[in-house]
Amino acid sequence: MHVNKAIVAIARRMLVSIWYILTRRESYRHFDEETIAYKMLIWAQAIGEEGRQGLTRQQFAKYGLLRLGIGHDLERIVKGGGPRRIAPTEEVLALKPELAPPR
């Protein structure tokens, strides 16, 4: 097998996985809520204040979790060397009411 065929095959599998995750708006099944929250915090730091559209890093991480339909009770994680705070659900729902479940 030519080396480029292997690279193309791996890239295709990755793109298919990413496509399913994004179109179905569901989390990667091999990660737990804490890991996803930690990744969201890292992403929030990387995109900066303008990319977060006025949300703090902790609010942005909770916003991402709520969009995935997970992490409603999660307010603290222990990853990456120490404990980290995640914004409460109520705080994010006050800023982004479109995420609130229908009554």
Side-chain angles (χ1 to χ4, degrees), residues 3-90:
V3 71
N4 288 340
K5 285 184 180 181
I7 291 171
V8 169
I10 292 169
R12 181 185 179 283
R13 292 183 91 185
M14 288 175 61
L15 284 173
V16 168
S17 295
I18 292 168
W19 182 82
Y20 273 108
I21 290 168
L22 293 176
T23 57
R24 294 179 182 177
R25 289 189 173 210
E26 58 187 34
S27 60
Y28 184 59
R29 67 178 180 261
H30 299 293
F31 284 164
D32 60 352
E33 290 179 353
E34 274 197 22
T35 302
I36 295 170
Y38 179 67
K39 299 270 185 197
M40 289 285 194
L41 281 171
I42 292 172
W43 184 30
Q45 176 103 21
I47 64 173
E49 194 172 324
E50 187 177 314
R52 293 190 308 258
Q53 301 175 348
L55 297 175
T56 66
R57 288 187 345 233
Q58 293 82 8
Q59 291 168 343
F60 182 82
K62 179 61 103 172
Y63 175 70
L65 292 172
L66 292 175
R67 286 190 64 196
L68 291 170
I70 60 175
H72 296 282
D73 301 330
L74 192 64
E75 291 187 13
R76 187 171 178 267
I77 62 170
V78 181
K79 286 271 191 204
R84 299 169 192 277
R85 185 182 85 77
I86 303 292
T89 300
E90 299 79 28

Coordinates of all heavy atoms in Angstrom, one line a residue, residues 3-90:
V3 N 2.0 5.0 0.8 CA 1.9 5.8 2.0 C 0.8 6.8 1.9 O 0.1 7.1 2.9 CB 3.2 6.4 2.4 CG1 3.6 7.5 1.5 CG2 3.2 6.9 3.8
N4 N 0.6 7.4 0.7 CA -0.5 8.4 0.5 C -1.9 7.8 0.7 O -2.8 8.5 1.2 CB -0.4 9.1 -0.8 CG 0.8 10.0 -0.9 OD1 1.4 10.5 0.2 ND2 1.3 10.3 -2.0
K5 N -2.0 6.5 0.3 CA -3.3 5.9 0.5 C -3.7 5.8 1.9 O -4.8 6.0 2.3 CB -3.3 4.5 -0.2 CG -3.4 4.5 -1.7 CD -3.5 3.1 -2.2 CE -3.6 3.1 -3.7 NZ -3.7 1.8 -4.3
A6 N -2.7 5.4 2.8 CA -2.9 5.3 4.2 C -3.3 6.7 4.8 O -4.2 6.8 5.6 CB -1.7 4.7 4.9
I7 N -2.6 7.7 4.4 CA -2.9 9.0 4.9 C -4.3 9.5 4.5 O -5.1 10.0 5.3 CB -1.9 10.1 4.4 CG1 -0.5 9.8 5.1 CG2 -2.3 11.5 4.7 CD1 0.6 10.5 4.5
V8 N -4.7 9.2 3.3 CA -6.0 9.6 2.8 C -7.1 8.8 3.5 O -8.1 9.3 3.9 CB -6.1 9.4 1.3 CG1 -7.6 9.5 0.8 CG2 -5.3 10.4 0.5
A9 N -6.8 7.5 3.8 CA -7.8 6.7 4.5 C -8.0 7.2 5.9 O -9.2 7.2 6.4 CB -7.3 5.2 4.5
I10 N -6.9 7.5 6.6 CA -7.0 8.0 8.0 C -7.7 9.4 8.0 O -8.6 9.6 8.8 CB -5.6 8.1 8.6 CG1 -5.1 6.7 8.8 CG2 -5.7 8.9 9.9 CD1 -3.6 6.7 9.2
A11 N -7.4 10.2 7.1 CA -8.0 11.6 7.0 C -9.5 11.4 6.8 O -10.3 12.1 7.4 CB -7.4 12.4 5.9
R12 N -9.9 10.5 5.9 CA -11.3 10.3 5.6 C -12.1 9.8 6.8 O -13.2 10.3 7.1 CB -11.5 9.3 4.5 CG -13.0 9.1 4.1 CD -13.1 8.0 3.1 NE -14.5 7.7 2.8 CZ -15.4 7.1 3.5 NH1 -15.0 6.6 4.7 NH2 -16.6 6.9 3.2
R13 N -11.5 8.9 7.6 CA -12.2 8.4 8.8 C -12.3 9.5 9.8 O -13.3 9.6 10.5 CB -11.4 7.2 9.4 CG -11.4 6.0 8.5 CD -10.7 4.9 9.2 NE -11.7 4.1 10.0 CZ -11.4 3.1 10.7 NH1 -10.2 2.7 10.9 NH2 -12.4 2.5 11.4
M14 N -11.3 10.4 9.9 CA -11.4 11.5 10.9 C -12.5 12.5 10.4 O -13.3 12.9 11.3 CB -10.1 12.2 11.0 CG -9.0 11.4 11.7 SD -7.4 12.2 11.7 CE -7.7 13.7 12.5
L15 N -12.5 12.8 9.1 CA -13.6 13.7 8.7 C -15.0 13.2 8.8 O -15.9 13.9 9.2 CB -13.3 14.1 7.2 CG -12.1 15.0 6.9 CD1 -11.9 15.1 5.5 CD2 -12.5 16.4 7.5
V16 N -15.2 11.9 8.6 CA -16.5 11.3 8.8 C -16.9 11.4 10.3 O -18.0 11.7 10.6 CB -16.5 9.8 8.3 CG1 -17.7 9.1 8.7 CG2 -16.4 9.8 6.8
S17 N -16.0 11.1 11.2 CA -16.3 11.2 12.6 C -16.6 12.6 13.0 O -17.6 12.9 13.7 CB -15.1 10.7 13.4 OG -14.8 9.4 13.2
I18 N -15.8 13.6 12.5 CA -16.1 15.0 12.8 C -17.5 15.4 12.3 O -18.2 16.1 12.9 CB -15.0 15.9 12.3 CG1 -13.7 15.6 13.1 CG2 -15.3 17.3 12.3 CD1 -12.4 16.2 12.5
W19 N -17.8 15.0 11.0 CA -19.0 15.3 10.4 C -20.2 14.8 11.2 O -21.2 15.5 11.5 CB -19.1 14.8 9.0 CG -20.3 15.1 8.3 CD1 -20.6 16.3 7.6 CD2 -21.5 14.3 8.1 NE1 -21.9 16.3 7.1 CE2 -22.5 15.0 7.4 CE3 -21.9 13.0 8.6 CZ2 -23.7 14.6 7.1 CZ3 -23.1 12.5 8.2 CH2 -24.0 13.3 7.5
Y20 N -20.1 13.6 11.7 CA -21.2 13.0 12.5 C -21.4 13.8 13.8 O -22.5 14.1 14.2 CB -21.0 11.5 12.8 CG -21.5 10.6 11.7 CD1 -20.7 9.9 10.9 CD2 -22.9 10.4 11.5 CE1 -21.1 9.1 9.9 CE2 -23.4 9.6 10.6 CZ -22.5 8.9 9.7 OH -23.0 8.1 8.7
I21 N -20.3 14.1 14.5 CA -20.3 14.8 15.7 C -21.0 16.2 15.5 O -21.8 16.6 16.3 CB -18.9 14.9 16.3 CG1 -18.5 13.5 16.8 CG2 -18.9 15.9 17.5 CD1 -17.0 13.5 17.2
L22 N -20.6 16.9 14.5 CA -21.1 18.2 14.3 C -22.5 18.3 13.8 O -23.3 19.1 14.2 CB -20.2 19.0 13.3 CG -18.8 19.3 13.8 CD1 -18.0 20.0 12.7 CD2 -18.8 20.2 15.0
T23 N -22.9 17.4 12.9 CA -24.3 17.4 12.4 C -25.3 16.9 13.4 O -26.4 17.3 13.4 CB -24.4 16.6 11.1 OG1 -24.0 15.2 11.3 CG2 -23.6 17.2 9.9
R24 N -24.9 15.9 14.2 CA -25.8 15.4 15.2 C -25.8 16.2 16.5 O -26.5 15.9 17.4 CB -25.5 13.9 15.5 CG -25.8 13.1 14.3 CD -25.4 11.7 14.6 NE -25.6 10.8 13.4 CZ -25.4 9.6 13.3 NH1 -24.9 8.9 14.4 NH2 -25.6 8.9 12.2
R25 N -24.8 17.1 16.6 CA -24.6 17.9 17.9 C -24.5 17.0 19.1 O -25.2 17.3 20.1 CB -25.7 19.0 18.0 CG -25.6 20.0 17.0 CD -26.5 21.2 17.3 NE -26.2 22.2 16.4 CZ -26.4 23.5 16.7 NH1 -26.9 23.8 17.8 NH2 -26.1 24.4 15.8
E26 N -23.7 16.0 19.0 CA -23.5 15.1 20.2 C -22.0 15.0 20.5 O -21.2 15.3 19.6 CB -24.1 13.8 19.9 CG -23.6 13.0 18.7 CD -24.3 11.8 18.4 OE1 -25.5 11.7 18.6 OE2 -23.7 10.8 17.9
S27 N -21.7 14.7 21.7 CA -20.4 14.7 22.1 C -19.7 13.4 21.6 O -20.4 12.4 21.3 CB -20.3 14.8 23.6 OG -21.0 13.7 24.2
Y28 N -18.4 13.4 21.6 CA -17.6 12.2 21.2 C -17.8 11.2 22.3 O -17.6 11.4 23.5 CB -16.2 12.6 21.1 CG -15.2 11.5 20.6 CD1 -15.4 10.9 19.4 CD2 -14.2 11.1 21.4 CE1 -14.6 9.9 19.0 CE2 -13.3 10.1 21.0 CZ -13.5 9.5 19.8 OH -12.7 8.5 19.3
R29 N -18.2 10.0 22.0 CA -18.7 9.0 23.0 C -17.6 8.5 23.9 O -17.8 7.9 24.9 CB -19.4 7.9 22.3 CG -18.5 7.0 21.4 CD -19.3 5.9 20.8 NE -18.5 5.1 20.0 CZ -18.4 5.1 18.7 NH1 -19.1 6.0 18.0 NH2 -17.5 4.4 18.0
H30 N -16.3 8.7 23.5 CA -15.2 8.2 24.3 C -14.7 9.2 25.3 O -13.8 8.9 26.1 CB -14.1 7.7 23.4 CG -14.4 6.6 22.4 ND1 -14.8 5.4 22.9 CD2 -14.6 6.6 21.1 CE1 -15.1 4.6 21.8 NE2 -15.0 5.4 20.7
F31 N -15.3 10.4 25.4 CA -14.9 11.4 26.3 C -16.0 11.5 27.4 O -17.2 11.4 27.1 CB -14.7 12.7 25.7 CG -13.4 12.9 24.9 CD1 -13.3 13.9 24.0 CD2 -12.4 12.0 25.0 CE1 -12.1 14.1 23.3 CE2 -11.2 12.1 24.3 CZ -11.1 13.2 23.4
D32 N -15.6 11.8 28.6 CA -16.6 12.0 29.7 C -16.8 13.6 29.7 O -16.1 14.3 29.0 CB -16.1 11.5 31.0 CG -14.8 12.1 31.5 OD1 -14.1 12.8 30.7 OD2 -14.4 11.9 32.6
E33 N -17.8 14.0 30.5 CA -18.2 15.4 30.6 C -17.0 16.3 31.0 O -16.8 17.4 30.6 CB -19.4 15.6 31.5 CG -20.6 15.0 31.0 CD -21.8 15.2 31.9 OE1 -21.6 15.6 33.1 OE2 -22.9 14.9 31.5
E34 N -16.2 15.8 32.0 CA -15.1 16.6 32.5 C -14.0 16.8 31.4 O -13.5 17.9 31.3 CB -14.4 15.9 33.7 CG -15.0 16.2 35.0 CD -14.1 15.8 36.2 OE1 -12.9 15.7 36.0 OE2 -14.7 15.6 37.3
T35 N -13.8 15.8 30.6 CA -12.8 16.0 29.5 C -13.3 17.0 28.5 O -12.5 17.8 28.0 CB -12.5 14.6 28.9 OG1 -12.0 13.7 29.9 CG2 -11.4 14.8 27.8
I36 N -14.6 16.9 28.1 CA -15.1 17.8 27.2 C -15.1 19.3 27.7 O -14.8 20.2 27.0 CB -16.5 17.4 26.8 CG1 -16.5 16.1 26.0 CG2 -17.2 18.5 25.9 CD1 -17.8 15.4 25.8
A37 N -15.4 19.4 29.0 CA -15.4 20.7 29.7 C -14.0 21.3 29.7 O -13.8 22.5 29.4 CB -15.9 20.6 31.1
Y38 N -13.0 20.5 29.9 CA -11.6 20.9 29.9 C -11.2 21.4 28.5 O -10.6 22.4 28.4 CB -10.7 19.8 30.4 CG -9.2 20.2 30.4 CD1 -8.8 21.1 31.3 CD2 -8.3 19.6 29.6 CE1 -7.4 21.5 31.3 CE2 -7.0 19.9 29.6 CZ -6.6 20.9 30.5 OH -5.2 21.2 30.5
K39 N -11.6 20.6 27.5 CA -11.3 21.0 26.1 C -12.0 22.3 25.8 O -11.4 23.1 25.1 CB -11.7 19.9 25.2 CG -11.1 18.6 25.4 CD -9.8 18.5 24.6 CE -9.2 17.1 24.7 NZ -7.9 17.0 24.3
M40 N -13.2 22.5 26.3 CA -13.9 23.8 26.0 C -13.2 24.9 26.7 O -13.1 26.0 26.1 CB -15.3 23.7 26.5 CG -16.2 22.8 25.8 SD -16.7 23.6 24.2 CE -18.0 22.5 23.7
L41 N -12.7 24.7 27.9 CA -11.9 25.8 28.5 C -10.6 26.2 27.8 O -10.3 27.3 27.6 CB -11.5 25.4 30.0 CG -12.6 25.5 31.0 CD1 -12.2 24.8 32.3 CD2 -13.0 26.9 31.3
I42 N -10.0 25.2 27.3 CA -8.8 25.4 26.5 C -9.1 26.1 25.2 O -8.4 27.1 24.8 CB -8.0 24.1 26.1 CG1 -7.5 23.5 27.4 CG2 -7.0 24.3 25.1 CD1 -6.9 22.1 27.2
W43 N -10.2 25.7 24.6 CA -10.7 26.4 23.3 C -11.0 27.9 23.6 O -10.7 28.8 22.9 CB -11.8 25.6 22.7 CG -12.3 26.1 21.4 CD1 -11.6 26.8 20.5 CD2 -13.7 26.1 20.9 NE1 -12.4 27.1 19.4 CE2 -13.7 26.7 19.7 CE3 -14.8 25.5 21.4 CZ2 -14.8 26.8 18.9 CZ3 -16.0 25.6 20.7 CH2 -16.0 26.2 19.4
A44 N -11.7 28.1 24.7 CA -12.1 29.4 25.1 C -10.9 30.3 25.3 O -10.9 31.5 24.9 CB -12.9 29.4 26.4
Q45 N -9.8 29.8 25.8 CA -8.6 30.6 26.0 C -8.0 30.9 24.6 O -7.5 32.0 24.4 CB -7.6 29.8 26.9 CG -6.3 30.4 27.0 CD -6.1 31.0 28.4 OE1 -6.8 30.7 29.3 NE2 -5.2 32.0 28.5
A46 N -8.0 29.9 23.7 CA -7.4 30.0 22.4 C -8.1 31.0 21.5 O -7.4 31.8 20.8 CB -7.3 28.7 21.8
I47 N -9.4 31.1 21.6 CA -10.1 32.0 20.7 C -10.2 33.4 21.2 O -10.5 34.3 20.4 CB -11.6 31.5 20.4 CG1 -12.4 31.4 21.6 CG2 -11.5 30.1 19.7 CD1 -13.9 31.1 21.3
G48 N -9.9 33.6 22.4 CA -9.9 35.0 22.9 C -11.2 35.5 23.3 O -12.3 34.9 23.0
E49 N -11.2 36.8 23.8 CA -12.4 37.4 24.3 C -13.4 37.7 23.2 O -14.6 37.6 23.3 CB -12.0 38.7 25.0 CG -13.1 39.3 25.9 CD -12.6 40.4 26.7 OE1 -11.5 40.3 27.2 OE2 -13.4 41.4 26.9
E50 N -12.9 38.2 22.0 CA -13.7 38.5 20.9 C -14.5 37.3 20.4 O -15.7 37.3 20.1 CB -12.9 39.1 19.8 CG -13.8 39.7 18.7 CD -12.9 40.4 17.6 OE1 -12.1 41.2 18.0 OE2 -13.2 40.1 16.5
G51 N -13.8 36.2 20.3 CA -14.4 34.9 19.8 C -15.4 34.3 20.8 O -16.4 33.6 20.3
R52 N -15.3 34.6 22.0 CA -16.3 34.2 23.0 C -17.5 35.0 23.1 O -18.5 34.7 23.8 CB -15.6 34.1 24.4 CG -14.6 33.1 24.5 CD -14.1 32.9 26.0 NE -13.8 34.1 26.6 CZ -12.5 34.6 26.9 NH1 -11.5 33.9 26.4 NH2 -12.3 35.7 27.5
Q53 N -17.6 36.1 22.4 CA -18.7 37.0 22.3 C -19.2 37.5 23.6 O -20.4 37.4 23.9 CB -19.8 36.4 21.5 CG -19.4 36.0 20.1 CD -20.5 35.2 19.3 OE1 -21.5 34.8 19.9 NE2 -20.3 35.0 18.1
G54 N -18.3 38.0 24.4 CA -18.6 38.6 25.7 C -18.7 37.6 26.9 O -19.0 38.0 28.0
L55 N -18.6 36.3 26.6 CA -18.7 35.3 27.7 C -17.3 35.1 28.3 O -16.3 35.2 27.6 CB -19.2 34.0 27.2 CG -20.6 33.9 26.6 CD1 -20.9 32.5 26.0 CD2 -21.6 34.3 27.6
T56 N -17.3 34.8 29.6 CA -16.0 34.4 30.2 C -15.6 33.0 29.8 O -16.4 32.3 29.2 CB -16.1 34.5 31.8 OG1 -17.0 33.4 32.2 CG2 -16.6 35.8 32.3
R57 N -14.4 32.6 30.1 CA -14.0 31.3 29.7 C -14.9 30.2 30.3 O -15.3 29.2 29.7 CB -12.6 31.0 30.1 CG -11.6 31.8 29.3 CD -10.1 31.4 29.6 NE -10.0 30.6 30.8 CZ -9.2 30.9 31.8 NH1 -8.4 31.9 31.7 NH2 -9.2 30.2 32.9
Q58 N -15.2 30.4 31.6 CA -16.1 29.4 32.3 C -17.5 29.4 31.7 O -18.1 28.3 31.6 CB -16.1 29.8 33.8 CG -14.8 29.6 34.5 CD -13.9 30.8 34.3 OE1 -14.3 31.9 33.8 NE2 -12.7 30.7 34.8
Q59 N -18.0 30.6 31.4 CA -19.4 30.6 30.8 C -19.3 30.0 29.4 O -20.3 29.3 29.0 CB -19.8 32.1 30.7 CG -20.1 32.7 32.0 CD -20.3 34.2 31.9 OE1 -20.0 34.8 30.9 NE2 -20.9 34.8 32.9
F60 N -18.3 30.3 28.6 CA -18.2 29.7 27.3 C -18.1 28.2 27.3 O -18.8 27.5 26.5 CB -16.9 30.2 26.6 CG -16.8 29.7 25.2 CD1 -17.4 30.3 24.1 CD2 -15.9 28.7 24.9 CE1 -17.3 29.9 22.8 CE2 -15.8 28.2 23.6 CZ -16.5 28.8 22.6
A61 N -17.4 27.6 28.3 CA -17.3 26.2 28.5 C -18.6 25.6 28.8 O -19.1 24.6 28.2 CB -16.3 25.8 29.5
K62 N -19.4 26.2 29.7 CA -20.7 25.7 30.1 C -21.7 25.8 28.9 O -22.5 25.0 28.7 CB -21.2 26.5 31.3 CG -22.6 26.0 31.7 CD -22.7 24.6 32.1 CE -22.7 24.5 33.6 NZ -22.9 23.2 34.2
Y63 N -21.6 26.9 28.2 CA -22.4 27.1 27.0 C -22.2 26.0 26.0 O -23.1 25.4 25.4 CB -22.0 28.5 26.3 CG -22.8 28.8 25.0 CD1 -24.1 29.0 25.0 CD2 -22.1 28.8 23.8 CE1 -24.8 29.3 23.8 CE2 -22.7 29.1 22.7 CZ -24.0 29.4 22.7 OH -24.7 29.6 21.5
G64 N -20.9 25.6 25.7 CA -20.6 24.5 24.8 C -21.2 23.2 25.3 O -21.8 22.4 24.6
L65 N -21.1 23.0 26.6 CA -21.7 21.7 27.2 C -23.2 21.7 27.1 O -23.8 20.7 26.7 CB -21.3 21.6 28.7 CG -19.8 21.4 29.0 CD1 -19.5 21.5 30.5 CD2 -19.3 20.1 28.4
L66 N -23.8 22.8 27.3 CA -25.3 22.9 27.2 C -25.8 22.7 25.8 O -26.8 22.1 25.6 CB -25.8 24.2 27.8 CG -25.6 24.4 29.3 CD1 -26.1 25.8 29.7 CD2 -26.4 23.3 30.1
R67 N -25.0 23.2 24.9 CA -25.4 23.0 23.5 C -25.3 21.5 23.1 O -26.0 21.1 22.2 CB -24.5 23.8 22.5 CG -24.8 25.3 22.6 CD -24.1 26.1 21.6 NE -24.5 25.7 20.2 CZ -23.8 25.9 19.1 NH1 -22.7 26.6 19.2 NH2 -24.3 25.5 18.0
L68 N -24.4 20.8 23.7 CA -24.3 19.4 23.5 C -25.3 18.6 24.3 O -25.4 17.4 24.1 CB -22.9 18.9 23.8 CG -21.8 19.4 22.9 CD1 -20.4 19.0 23.5 CD2 -21.9 18.8 21.5
G69 N -26.0 19.2 25.2 CA -27.0 18.6 26.0 C -26.4 17.8 27.2 O -27.0 16.9 27.7
I70 N -25.2 18.2 27.6 CA -24.5 17.5 28.7 C -24.0 18.5 29.8 O -24.1 19.7 29.5 CB -23.3 16.6 28.3 CG1 -22.3 17.5 27.6 CG2 -23.8 15.5 27.3 CD1 -21.0 16.8 27.2
G71 N -23.6 18.1 30.9 CA -23.0 18.9 31.9 C -23.8 19.9 32.6 O -23.4 20.9 33.1
H72 N -25.1 19.6 32.8 CA -26.0 20.5 33.5 C -25.6 20.7 34.9 O -25.7 21.8 35.5 CB -27.5 20.0 33.4 CG -28.0 19.9 32.0 ND1 -28.4 21.1 31.3 CD2 -28.1 18.9 31.1 CE1 -28.8 20.8 30.1 NE2 -28.6 19.5 29.9
D73 N -25.1 19.6 35.6 CA -24.8 19.7 37.0 C -23.3 20.0 37.2 O -22.9 20.2 38.3 CB -25.1 18.4 37.7 CG -26.6 18.1 37.6 OD1 -27.4 19.0 37.5 OD2 -27.0 16.9 37.5
L74 N -22.5 20.0 36.2 CA -21.1 20.2 36.3 C -20.7 21.6 36.5 O -21.1 22.5 35.8 CB -20.4 19.7 35.0 CG -18.9 19.5 35.0 CD1 -18.5 18.4 36.0 CD2 -18.4 19.1 33.6
E75 N -20.0 21.9 37.7 CA -19.6 23.2 38.0 C -18.1 23.3 38.4 O -17.6 24.4 38.5 CB -20.4 23.8 39.1 CG -21.8 24.1 38.7 CD -22.6 24.9 39.8 OE1 -22.0 25.4 40.7 OE2 -23.9 24.9 39.6
R76 N -17.5 22.1 38.4 CA -16.1 22.1 38.8 C -15.4 20.8 38.2 O -16.0 19.7 38.2 CB -16.0 22.0 40.3 CG -14.6 22.1 40.9 CD -14.6 22.2 42.4 NE -13.3 22.2 43.0 CZ -12.6 21.1 43.4 NH1 -13.2 19.9 43.3 NH2 -11.4 21.2 43.9
I77 N -14.3 21.0 37.6 CA -13.6 19.8 37.0 C -12.2 19.8 37.6 O -11.6 20.8 38.1 CB -13.5 19.9 35.5 CG1 -12.7 21.1 35.0 CG2 -14.9 19.8 34.9 CD1 -12.5 21.1 33.5
V78 N -11.6 18.6 37.6 CA -10.2 18.4 38.0 C -9.4 17.8 36.9 O -9.5 16.6 36.7 CB -10.1 17.6 39.3 CG1 -8.6 17.4 39.7 CG2 -10.9 18.2 40.4
K79 N -8.9 18.6 36.0 CA -8.1 18.2 34.9 C -7.0 19.2 34.6 O -7.0 20.3 35.0 CB -9.0 18.2 33.6 CG -10.0 17.1 33.5 CD -9.4 15.9 32.8 CE -10.4 14.9 32.5 NZ -10.0 13.6 32.4
G80 N -5.9 18.8 34.0 CA -4.9 19.6 33.6 C -4.1 20.2 34.7 O -3.7 21.4 34.6
G81 N -3.9 19.5 35.8 CA -3.1 20.0 36.9 C -3.8 20.6 38.1 O -3.1 20.9 39.0
G82 N -5.1 20.8 38.0 CA -5.7 21.3 39.2 C -7.2 21.5 39.0 O -7.7 21.3 37.9
P83 N -7.9 21.9 40.1 CA -9.3 22.1 39.9 C -9.6 23.4 39.1 O -8.9 24.4 39.2 CB -9.8 22.2 41.4 CG -8.6 22.7 42.1 CD -7.4 22.1 41.4
R84 N -10.7 23.3 38.4 CA -11.1 24.5 37.6 C -12.6 24.6 37.7 O -13.4 23.7 37.8 CB -10.8 24.3 36.1 CG -9.3 24.1 35.9 CD -8.9 23.7 34.5 NE -7.6 23.3 34.4 CZ -6.6 24.1 34.1 NH1 -6.8 25.4 34.1 NH2 -5.3 23.7 34.0
R85 N -13.1 25.9 37.7 CA -14.5 26.2 37.9 C -15.1 26.3 36.5 O -14.6 26.8 35.5 CB -14.6 27.5 38.6 CG -16.0 27.9 38.9 CD -16.2 29.2 39.6 NE -16.2 30.4 38.7 CZ -17.3 30.7 38.0 NH1 -18.4 30.0 38.1 NH2 -17.2 31.7 37.2
I86 N -16.4 25.8 36.4 CA -17.2 26.0 35.3 C -18.4 26.8 35.7 O -18.9 26.6 36.8 CB -17.7 24.6 34.7 CG1 -16.5 23.7 34.4 CG2 -18.6 24.8 33.5 CD1 -15.7 24.2 33.2
A87 N -18.9 27.7 34.9 CA -20.1 28.5 35.3 C -21.3 27.7 35.6 O -21.5 26.7 34.9 CB -20.3 29.5 34.2
P88 N -22.1 28.1 36.5 CA -23.4 27.4 36.8 C -24.3 27.5 35.6 O -24.3 28.5 34.8 CB -24.0 28.2 38.0 CG -22.9 29.0 38.6 CD -21.9 29.2 37.5
T89 N -25.2 26.6 35.5 CA -26.2 26.5 34.3 C -27.0 27.8 34.3 O -27.3 28.4 33.3 CB -27.0 25.3 34.4 OG1 -26.2 24.1 34.4 CG2 -28.0 25.2 33.3
E90 N -27.5 28.2 35.5 CA -28.4 29.4 35.6 C -27.7 30.6 35.1 O -28.4 31.5 34.4 CB -28.9 29.6 37.0 CG -29.7 28.4 37.6 CD -28.8 27.3 38.1 OE1 -27.6 27.5 38.5 OE2 -29.2 26.2 38.1

